[in-house]
Amino acid sequence: MWRSDPKGQATDDIGRVLDSAVIRAAQEGRIAAAAEATPATMAALLEWTGQGRAATVALAPAPAMMVAR
């Protein structure tokens, strides 16, 4: 699991963290990323899902990933 706490980060900073997670997922096959569910994090996630790298991954809650293993 890869954890980043984007508390206080700007939306584009959170997007870069998510892009890094996508790169690691491509290298490792799958990855879990966790962040505090703040309004800023949720807004960044919604914005990020409309961009390029987001189309290459499936977003799911952590319990779904655990069940899939």
Side-chain angles (χ1 to χ4, degrees):
M1 177 144 109
W2 182 64
R3 179 160 169 67
S4 177
D5 186 3
K7 191 172 187 177
Q9 290 182 339
T11 300
D12 53 342
D13 292 338
I14 294 169
R16 281 192 287 278
V17 170
L18 293 168
D19 284 343
S20 295
V22 170
I23 292 167
R24 272 192 80 179
Q27 294 168 344
E28 299 179 19
R30 78 170 48 169
I31 191 169
E36 187 176 346
T38 65
T41 302
M42 300 311 291
L45 184 60
L46 287 173
E47 181 181 320
W48 180 80
T49 56
Q51 298 173 0
R53 289 187 198 250
T56 65
V57 296
L59 300 177
M65 186 175 158
M66 293 174 196
V67 170
R69 288 193 129 182

